[in-house]
Amino acid sequence: MAVQLDEIDVRLLRELEADADRPNVELARIVGLSPAATLNRVRRLKESGVIRKIAARLDSAAAGFTLQVYVMVTLARHDEAAENRFNREVAAIDNIIAADGVAGETDALLMIAARDVAELQVVLSRLSTRAGAQRLITLLRLGEIKPSSPLPLRATSVQSRRAS
Amino acid sequence: MAVQLDEIDVRLLRELEADADRPNVELARIVGLSPAATLNRVRRLKESGVIRKIAARLDSAAAGFTLQVYVMVTLARHDEAAENRFNREVAAIDNIIAADGVAGETDALLMIAARDVAELQVVLSRLSTRAGAQRLITLLRLGEIKPSSPLPLRATSVQSRRAS
DNA sequence: GATGAAATAGCATTTGC
DNA sequence: GCAAATGCTATTTCATC
């Protein structure tokens, strides 16, 4: 399941997680390979699915979203129909910028961005009514303690590889 | 504070949030500008801070991190020294891949990636001991309900701009 | 103040090794 | 994985609206 990575792959991934806005030749210099070899490795990492995508990370506040909140959701019911309904509502609400199903204190954790309290209020009430949330716990994001950081990757220890 | 964005900026940002792994000429075609003008706009969006960075998003599971958990932390004390200590510990623990300070049920929300339960256990106990956490609530991430989605940006309504 | 078109320099990508 | 070669792109320049 997990993709095999050697030391160079790990270095490439770390660099790309930190900053993917650089020419391939610079990456090549960093990892000590030729541009062609570097390009091949990056392509393989994309195809293997380890790299999901290359994307811009925006500053929500600078873009006008002064309110960022995490909302923990407990569903009223847990049958498949209720979950599908919830998932559809979550997908349809633009201010929910990401959502994960979780196990523990609650059933789901949502990330929400809003321009003002009124906008947030609309989202929360829609979750309570149409989405079937029984209980909402809201955490107002005050600021960043640790910025989004690279995964602590390690090279896969050397071992013979069976044919796939 | 919030940067002024017109319709073309919004379209550029939406495209770059979804996929920044494309040549500038393609972006130019999408938004209907020349490559030069497109490049200028993207550069300005980076300099203004709306675009924080362009980065690779990895698939944690494919990279070997089968356990992804959110941890809500309540600090034992809230003086500045305790907070600094906590922040330093969080920064030093590689498995914590992001952390936000919050207001509400708890004081902080951490995102953690671990290869196995033993690795997770080390992080949690270090938080309880050295980092000064009084209470930890762990949410095991089961799966994605909604993938990381673009911010619901709107163009700033036309208006005269005062000198900065 | 920003755009478009043309020109240059640099890079991505392929091919053969 | 490397080196060389090709084609395309990024980036600048300058005229223009």
Side-chain angles (χ1 to χ4, degrees), chain B residues 15-136:
Chain B
E15 293 295 330
L16 289 172
E17 275 187 279
D19 180 10
D21 194 15
R22 305 182 270 193
N24 178 66
V25 287
E26 189 178 332
L27 276 183
R29 275 194 297 270
I30 292 174
V31 302
L33 287 184
S34 71
T38 305
L39 208 61
N40 274 329
R41 277 174 177 267
V42 173
R43 186 187 317 152
R44 251 178 293 146
L45 289 169
K46 287 172 185 166
E47 283 167 358
S48 72
V50 178
I51 297 180
R52 276 181 101 183
K53 66 175 182 178
I54 309 286
R57 299 263 185 132
L58 305 194
D59 182 321
S60 303
F65 295 88
T66 53
L67 249 42
Q68 296 152 57
V69 302
Y70 294 99
V71 174
M72 299 164 67
V73 179
T74 303
L75 292 179
R77 297 168 45 193
H78 291 83
D79 52 294
E80 198 176 321
E83 292 193 352
N84 287 340
R85 181 191 179 85
F86 178 73
N87 293 358
R88 262 184 283 115
E89 276 298 319
V90 165
I93 300 175
D94 284 344
N95 290 283
I96 302 177
I97 56 179
D100 283 338
V102 298
E105 199 87 336
T106 60
D107 298 315
L109 179 61
L110 317 183
M111 292 73 171
I112 296 179
R115 292 180 181 77
D116 51 45
V117 174
E119 201 175 276
L120 177 61
Q121 171 65 24
V122 171
V123 176
L124 295 177
S125 79
R126 186 163 168 189
L127 285 170
S128 294
T129 56
R130 265 180 286 183
Q134 178 178 72
R135 183 168 172 242
L136 301 179

Side-chain angles (χ1 to χ4, degrees), chain A residues 1 9 23 25 38 42 54 63 67-68 90 95 98 114 124 127 129 131 135 141-142 145 151 153-155 164:
Chain A
M1 191 85 217
D9 290 326
V25 285
T38 305
V42 173
I54 309 285
L67 251 42
Q68 297 152 56
V90 166
N95 290 282
L124 294 177
L127 284 170
T129 56
R135 181 168 173 242
R141 183 179 184 278
L142 296 178
I145 291 179
L151 287 170
L153 296 167
R154 269 189 251 136
S164 70

Side-chain angles (χ1 to χ4, degrees), chain A:
Chain A
M1 191 85 217
V3 176
Q4 304 276 20
L5 304 172
D6 67 13
E7 292 78 0
I8 295 181
D9 290 326
V10 168
R11 237 181 308 169
L12 279 172
L13 290 172
R14 200 175 342 131
E15 293 296 329
L16 289 172
E17 274 188 280
D19 179 10
D21 194 17
R22 303 182 272 193
N24 178 65
V25 285
E26 188 178 333
L27 276 183
R29 275 193 296 270
I30 292 173
V31 303
L33 286 185
S34 71
T38 305
L39 208 61
N40 275 329
R41 276 174 178 268
V42 173
R43 186 187 315 151
R44 252 178 290 143
L45 289 168
K46 288 173 185 166
E47 283 167 0
S48 72
V50 178
I51 297 179
R52 277 181 100 184
K53 66 175 182 178
I54 309 285
R57 299 259 185 136
L58 306 193
D59 181 320
S60 303
F65 295 87
T66 53
L67 251 42
Q68 297 152 56
V69 302
Y70 294 100
V71 175
M72 298 165 66
V73 180
T74 302
L75 292 178
R77 296 167 44 192
H78 290 83
D79 52 293
E80 197 175 322
E83 292 193 352
N84 287 340
R85 182 190 179 84
F86 178 73
N87 293 357
R88 262 184 284 115
E89 276 299 318
V90 166
I93 300 174
D94 284 343
N95 290 282
I96 302 177
I97 57 178
D100 284 337
V102 298
E105 200 88 335
T106 60
D107 298 316
L109 179 62
L110 317 182
M111 292 75 171
I112 296 180
R115 291 180 182 77
D116 51 45
V117 174
E119 201 175 277
L120 177 61
Q121 171 65 24
V122 171
V123 176
L124 294 177
S125 79
R126 186 163 167 188
L127 284 170
S128 293
T129 56
R130 264 181 287 183
Q134 178 178 73
R135 181 168 173 242
L136 301 179
I137 298 173
T138 301
L139 302 174
L140 176 65
R141 183 179 184 278
L142 296 178
E144 194 172 77
I145 291 179
K146 180 174 187 168
S148 180
S149 308
L151 287 170
L153 296 167
R154 269 189 251 136
T156 306
S157 51
V158 185
Q159 56 184 36
S160 61
R161 303 182 186 179
R162 306 188 276 292
S164 70

